[in-house]
C-alpha cells in the first residue's frame, strides 16, 4: 500500500508543525499556524491524512472494525459477551462520547468538523477545497453511520464544538436528531463526496483514497441498513427503493471505473494497487520503525501461534464449518450429487471452504513453506500443537503465506472493508426488496461462479429455482455468511435482520476435538502423516468429539439490543438526550 497517509505518523512527530492533533484541535480559525496551513495544499492534505488515519476501519481480530468490538459476536466463532449472556448494562455500549476524547465517535467528528471549517476558511482554490472537504465528509458519514447502527438517532453536530456535553452548555445542549434525519445527513455527506472526488485517482501513490465508488458503496450499505427490518419493520417499499437506487448507483459508478470481482476469491487480499475488488480499504505497510509503522495486526493474531508471534484468534466454530455448501452449491444434506459425513467434513465442499478455514491435515502454505500442513489433533489427551485451537480450526482468509514467522507481526496486507462482492450482494438484496427477483439471481450467480461452485445443468450454481421474495432474502443472507466469513459482517447482518434470537438463542456454539486412535495407527504416523492420504487418516486413524464452547450459559440475546441504550453517563452529561423507548425512555429509534 503506497498511500501517503501511511506515513503520517512520521509527519505528526516532525518539527515542521506542532503536530496533527494540536493543529486540528485549534478552535481559533484565525490563528497564524491555521492560516499558514490551510493555504498550503500539501499541509492541508497532511491534515486530511490524519483524518484517514483516525477513521479507517481496522481488521476484525486485531483491534476490531469498530470501537465497540461487536463484530466477532456471532455463530462464526466463539467469543464470550454480556450481549450473548443477556446481561448487558446500560453503560456498556459506550462509544457515544461524554467528553472531549479523540478516540470516540464524537471526538473524531469534531476533528473532521474542524478540518471542514478550516479548509473552507482557507485560501486554496475552490476545486481543491471541494476535493479535500469531500473526503472528510465521507468519514463524517462513516462515523455517524456507526453511531446510528448502534443507537438509532443521535445529535447531529456539523460544526466544531468543544464537546457534546458540559462544554457545550453555552449552546443549551444538543438533543437527539431523529434516525431519519441522521440517515438523511449521512446520505447528504456521501452525495457531496460522490460529486467532488474522482472515480479513480491518477497516481498510484493515491491508491486507497476515497473515490466516487467508495462513497456510493457506503451510501448503498447505509440505505440497505435503513431498509432492513431493524430500521424498517413495516417493510416500507420506499426505503427498499432508495436502497436499490443507491446500490445500483454504486454498481454503475464502480464498473464504469474498472472495478469488479477479482478473478480469485483468496488472492484478492494480496493485490494492492488496481485491485478491482478493493472498494474501501485500509492500507498497511511492513515498516518496523515507530515513525513509519502501520502494520496489519489481523494476520499475526489469526494464524496459529507457532506460525507467528501471537496467533490463534478468529477460530471457526463447527457451525461455521458446516455452513458451507457442497461443491454443487447445495447445503449439507441437500445435495444429491455429493454425500456429506461429519467424519469427512472437508470433502467436496464449496471451494471457499478450503480458502477460508484451515482444518486438521489441510495443506496450508505458511512462512514460505508451500507444502505445509496444519495438524490440530490430540494424542492421549494432549495436543500436537504448541498451543491448541479451541475449536479445532483456524481462519486462513487473508493470511499471507509468504512472510516468515518473525515478520508476520509486520504484515502489510491491506484490509478491504467494502469489496465489490458486497456491492453485488447489497444490490441483490435491495432488488429483492422491490421484487426484482431476477436481478438478485444474477448477482448471486456471479458470486458463486467466482467462488468455483459448479454451475449445474440449470446454470443456477446450486441456487433453488423460482424462489419467493422471502426465500431469496434468506439465500442472500446465507451467501453473505459464506462470502464474508470473518470479515466482520455476520453480527451486523443478523442484527439488522433481527435474526439473532432465531439463530443463536438457546444454543451453544460447538468446537471439535480430533483424537488419534490408540490402536491401528502406524507407529511412525507423527513423521509420515504429511504423506498419508487425508481420507485414510480420517477414516482409519482419527475420531471426532464435539464440545460446547459456551460452557456457562445458553445464548440469550434480548430484543432491546437491536438498539443499544444511550449510556446514562451521556444523559447525565446532557439532560436533553432522551433514552431509547426499549430502555425505559421516550425516544423512538424507528422514526
Amino acid at each position: 500500500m503506497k498511500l501517503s497517509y501511511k506515513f503520517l505518523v512520521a509527519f505528526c512527530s516532525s518539527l515542521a508543525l506542532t503536530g496533527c492533533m494540536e493543529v486540528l484541535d485549534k478552535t481559533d480559525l484565525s490563528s497564524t499556524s491555521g492560516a499558514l496551513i490551510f493555504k498550503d495544499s500539501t499541509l492541508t492534505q497532511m491534515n486530511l491524512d490524519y483524518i484517514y488515519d483516525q477513521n479507517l476501519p481496522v481488521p476484525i481480530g486485531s483491534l476490531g472494525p469498530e470501537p465497540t468490538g461487536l463484530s466477532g459476536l456471532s455463530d462464526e466463532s466463539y467469543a464470550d459477551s454480556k450481549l450473548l449472556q443477556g446481561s448487558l448494562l446500560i453503560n456498556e455500549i459506550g462509544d457515544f462520547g461524554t467528553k472531549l476524547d479523540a478516540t470516540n465517535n464524537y471526538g473524531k467528528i469534531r476533528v473532521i468538523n474542524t478540518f471542514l471549517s478550516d479548509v473552507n476558511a482557507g485560501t486554496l482554490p475552490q476545486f481543491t477545497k471541494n476535493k479535500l472537504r469531500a473526503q472528510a465528509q465521507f468519514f463524517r458519514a462513516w462515523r455517524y453511520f456507526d453511531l446510528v447502527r448502534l443507537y438509532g438517532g443521535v445529535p447531529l453536530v456539523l460544526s466544531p464544538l468543544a464537546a457534546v456535553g458540559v462544554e457545550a452548555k453555552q449552546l443549551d445542549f444538543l438533543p437527539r436528531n431523529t434516525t431519519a434525519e441522521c440517515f438523511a445527513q449521512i446520505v447528504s455527506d456521501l452525495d457531496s463526496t460522490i460529486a467532488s472526488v474522482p472515480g479513480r485517482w491518477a497516481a498510484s501513490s493515491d491508491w486507497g483514497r476515497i473515490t466516487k465508488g467508495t462513497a456510493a458503496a457506503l451510501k448503498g450499505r447505509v440505505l440497505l441498513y435503513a431498509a432492513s427490518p431493524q430500521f424498517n419493520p413495516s417493510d416500507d417499499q420506499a426505503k427498499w427503493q432508495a436502497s436499490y437506487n443507491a446500490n445500483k448507483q454504486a454498481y454503475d459508478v464502480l464498473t464504469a471505473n474498472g472495478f469488479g470481482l477479482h478473478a480469485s476469491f483468496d488472492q484478492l487480499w494480496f493485490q494492492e494497487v488496481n485491485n478491482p475488488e478493493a472498494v474501501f480499504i485500509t492500507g498497511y505497510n511492513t515498516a518496523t520503525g515507530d515513525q513509519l509503522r502501520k502494520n496489519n495486526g489481523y494476520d499475526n493474531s489469526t494464524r496459529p501461534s507457532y506460525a507467528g508471534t501471537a496467533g490463534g484468534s478468529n477460530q471457526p466454530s463447527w457451525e461455521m464449518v458446516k455452513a458451507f455448501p457442497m461443491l454443487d452449491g447445495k447445503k449439507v444434506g441437500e445435495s444429491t450429487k455429493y454425500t456429506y459425513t461429519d467424519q469427512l467434513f472437508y470433502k467436496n465442499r464449496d471451494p471457499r471452504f478450503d480458502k477460508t478455514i484451515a482444518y486438521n491435515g489441510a495443506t496450508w502454505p505458511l512462512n514460505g513453506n508451500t507444502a505445509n500442513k496444519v495438524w490440530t489433533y490430540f494424542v492421549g489427551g494432549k495436543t500436537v500443537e504448541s498451543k491448541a485451537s479451541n475449536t479445532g480450526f483456524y481462519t486462513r482468509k487473508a493470511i499471507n503465506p509468504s512472510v516468515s514467522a518473525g515478520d508476520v507481526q509486520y504484515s502489510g496486507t491491506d484490509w478491504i472493508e467494502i469489496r465489490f462482492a458486497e456491492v453485488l450482494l447489497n444490490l441483490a438484496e435491495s432488488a429483492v426488496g422491490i421484487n426484482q427477483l431476477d436481478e438478485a439471481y444474477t448477482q448471486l450467480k456471479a458470486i458463486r461462479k467466482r467462488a468455483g461452485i459448479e454451475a449445474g445443468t440449470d446454470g443456477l450454481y446450486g441456487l433453488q429455482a423460482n424462489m419467493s421474495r422471502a426465500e431469496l432474502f434468506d439465500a442472500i443472507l446465507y451467501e453473505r455468511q459464506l462470502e464474508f466469513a470473518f470479515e466482520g459482517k455476520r453480527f451486523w447482518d443478523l442484527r439488522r435482520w433481527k435474526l439473532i434470537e432465531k439463530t443463536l438463542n438457546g444454543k451453544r456454539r460447538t468446537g471439535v476435538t480430533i483424537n488419534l486412535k490408540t490402536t491401528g495407527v502406524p507407529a511412525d504416523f507423527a513423521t509420515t502423516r504429511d504423506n498419508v492420504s487425508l481420507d485414510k487418516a480420517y477414516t482409519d486413524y482419527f475420531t471426532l468429539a464435539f464440545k460446547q464452547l459456551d460452557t456457562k450459559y445458553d445464548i440469550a440475546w434480548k430484543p432491546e439490543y437491536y438498539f443499544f441504550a444511550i449510556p446514562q453517563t451521556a444523559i447525565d452529561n446532557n439532560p436533553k438526550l432522551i433514552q431509547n423507548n426499549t430502555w425505559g425512555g421516550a425516544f423512538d429509534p424507528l422514526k
Side-chain angles (χ1 to χ4, degrees), residues 171-353:
L171 299 176
D172 199 24
F173 296 109
L174 294 171
R176 294 176 73 176
N177 289 81
T178 66
T179 302
E181 288 170 341
C182 291
F183 274 125
Q185 179 58 47
I186 292 168
V187 169
S188 176
D189 273 343
L190 293 173
D191 282 339
S192 294
T193 306
I194 294 167
S196 299
V197 298
R200 270 188 181 274
W201 293 84
S204 62
S205 59
D206 282 328
W207 172 256
R209 292 200 182 278
I210 302 306
T211 67
K212 290 182 185 294
T214 313
L218 180 57
K219 178 181 170 183
R221 182 194 281 187
V222 168
L223 289 178
L224 183 66
Y225 270 71
S228 300
Q230 178 191 5
F231 290 96
N232 184 25
S234 65
D235 198 24
D236 183 349
Q237 290 294 288
K239 292 184 177 182
W240 282 113
Q241 186 66 56
S243 174
Y244 176 82
N245 293 345
N247 283 294
K248 184 63 165 62
Q249 178 189 29
Y251 176 87
D252 290 343
V253 168
L254 286 163
T255 54
N257 285 282
F259 289 86
L261 290 177
H262 194 283
S264 170
F265 172 76
D266 57 327
Q267 294 304 304
L268 69 88
W269 295 95
F270 308 116
Q271 179 180 341
E272 293 193 350
V273 175
N274 295 325
N275 182 343
E277 185 124 358
V279 175
F280 178 27
I281 71 169
T282 302
Y284 291 96
N285 62 34
T286 57
T288 59
D290 288 340
Q291 289 189 341
L292 299 179
R293 182 182 300 175
K294 188 173 174 63
N295 307 139
N296 171 348
Y298 166 86
D299 192 316
N300 196 34
S301 67
T302 300
R303 62 174 55 216
S305 58
Y306 59 82
T309 56
S313 61
N314 300 319
Q315 296 174 5
S317 67
W318 179 244
E319 287 74 20
M320 189 68 236
V321 169
K322 290 195 71 172
F324 283 88
M326 305 306 289
L327 184 56
D328 60 359
K330 300 295 185 182
K331 290 183 178 181
V332 165
E334 296 180 2
S335 174
T336 58
K337 183 177 180 180
Y338 297 107
T339 300
Y340 171 86
T341 64
D342 283 349
Q343 189 70 27
L344 301 178
F345 61 86
Y346 55 87
K347 285 185 67 68
N348 300 316
R349 305 295 296 276
D350 175 341
R352 288 173 294 188
F353 173 84

Side-chain angles (χ1 to χ4, degrees), residues 443-463:
Q443 311 310 337
L444 282 168
K445 287 191 292 183
I447 295 290
R448 289 190 155 211
K449 181 179 180 180
R450 193 269 297 274
I453 289 175
E454 295 172 343
T457 57
D458 58 5
L460 289 177
Y461 296 88
L463 297 169

Side-chain angles (χ1 to χ4, degrees), residues 14-36:
S14 74
L15 298 178
L17 293 173
T18 55
C20 294
M21 277 297 294
E22 293 177 10
V23 169
L24 289 175
D25 277 344
K26 290 184 182 298
T27 56
D28 179 6
L29 302 184
S30 64
S31 66
T32 302
S33 60
L36 288 172

